[in-house]
């Protein structure tokens, strides 16, 4: 992506003033939480990461360094993250709102995931998952979501340059 394309993308994202954003070299982030309704079901495109890949180590190593226990990968949360990452890619924008106006709560309910608390990080990076996780760690809102004390399960997925992480406390 050229510098002008990146600047143009950042200009579009500045319009999302109600969301906390962090822009960095090669990426942009947004965080939200929900004690929190839906995006259309889509086919997974293969960029969804299997639950046992290295992000478990990255996220859980970070949590451990902060005195917290590990969170476990969950297939439903993985699907929710993958579908939202793909939706953001189709829209060509990073957002906590799905193309149909859905929120995290709506996406969780649509997939039948029962929860007490849930948070979501979304990010844009042309430098991959490790870069997105590093940016989330360096951002207070994203960091707080990754360190959700009541969090027990998570799903993490990317589609193109868009990434979504959902951390939840199941009911």
């Amino acid at each position: 992506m050229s510098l002008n394309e990146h600047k143009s993308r950042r200009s579009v994202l500045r319009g999302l003033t109600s969301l906390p954003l962090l822009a960095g070299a090669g990426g942009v982030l947004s965080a939200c939480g929900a004690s929190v309704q839906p995006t259309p079901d889509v086919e997974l495109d293969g960029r969804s990461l299997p639950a046992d890949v290295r992000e478990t180590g990255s996220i859980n190593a970070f949590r451990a360094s902060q005195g917290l226990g590990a969170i476990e990968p969950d297939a439903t949360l993985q699907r929710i993250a993958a579908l939202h990452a793909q939706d953001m890619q189709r829209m060509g924008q990073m957002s906590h709102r799905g193309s149909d106006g859905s929120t995290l709560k709506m996406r969780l309910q649509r997939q039948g995931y029962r929860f007490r608390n849930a948070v979501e990080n979304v990010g844009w990076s042309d430098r991959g998952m490790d870069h997105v996780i590093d940016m989330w760690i360096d951002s207070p809102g994203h960091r707080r979501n990754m360190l959700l004390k009541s969090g027990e399960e998570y799903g993490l997925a990317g589609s193109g340059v868009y990434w979504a992480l959902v951390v939840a406390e199941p009911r």
Side-chain angles (χ1 to χ4, degrees):
M1 173 173 285
S2 74
L3 182 57
N4 285 340
E5 289 171 320
H6 182 69
K7 285 181 181 177
S8 174
R9 191 177 296 268
R10 285 177 57 192
S11 295
V12 169
L13 293 172
R14 281 193 195 111
L16 302 173
T17 56
S18 64
L19 298 174
L21 296 175
L22 170 70
V28 179
L29 304 173
S30 182
C32 86
S35 279
V36 244
Q37 287 161 7
T39 56
D41 290 338
V42 297
E43 293 297 315
L44 299 181
D45 70 358
R47 285 286 328 265
S48 174
L49 300 170
D52 62 345
V53 297
R54 64 192 159 121
E55 79 274 6
T56 306
S58 297
I59 292 170
N60 283 330
F62 173 62
R63 287 177 60 87
S65 76
Q66 303 300 303
L68 294 174
I71 52 179
E72 297 296 321
D74 177 81
T76 301
L77 295 179
Q78 181 71 28
R79 184 171 46 256
I80 292 165
L83 292 170
H84 189 56
Q86 292 168 18
D87 193 32
M88 289 188 292
Q89 181 181 21
R90 276 192 309 281
M91 291 188 298
Q93 75 178 51
M94 186 186 70
S95 176
H96 288 288
R97 289 252 178 221
S99 59
D100 64 352
S102 64
T103 63
L104 173 59
K105 179 181 178 181
M106 295 167 77
R107 292 188 292 275
L108 290 161
Q109 291 173 338
R110 190 178 274 164
Q111 294 293 325
Y113 187 86
R114 295 175 42 87
F115 62 97
R116 292 188 196 295
N117 193 9
V119 294
E120 175 181 68
N121 285 355
V122 297
W124 175 96
S125 176
D126 55 3
R127 293 175 43 197
M129 178 190 65
D130 289 339
H131 185 246
V132 170
I133 290 174
D134 287 345
M135 288 193 308
W136 285 336
I137 288 170
D138 290 339
S139 162
H142 299 93
R143 179 184 186 94
R144 184 172 41 254
N145 285 350
M146 291 174 68
L147 297 175
L148 180 68
K149 286 186 172 115
S150 65
E152 297 176 21
E153 300 176 333
Y154 79 98
L156 171 65
S159 184
V161 295
Y162 297 95
W163 295 87
L165 168 68
V166 179
V167 177
E169 173 189 10
R171 189 170 293 267

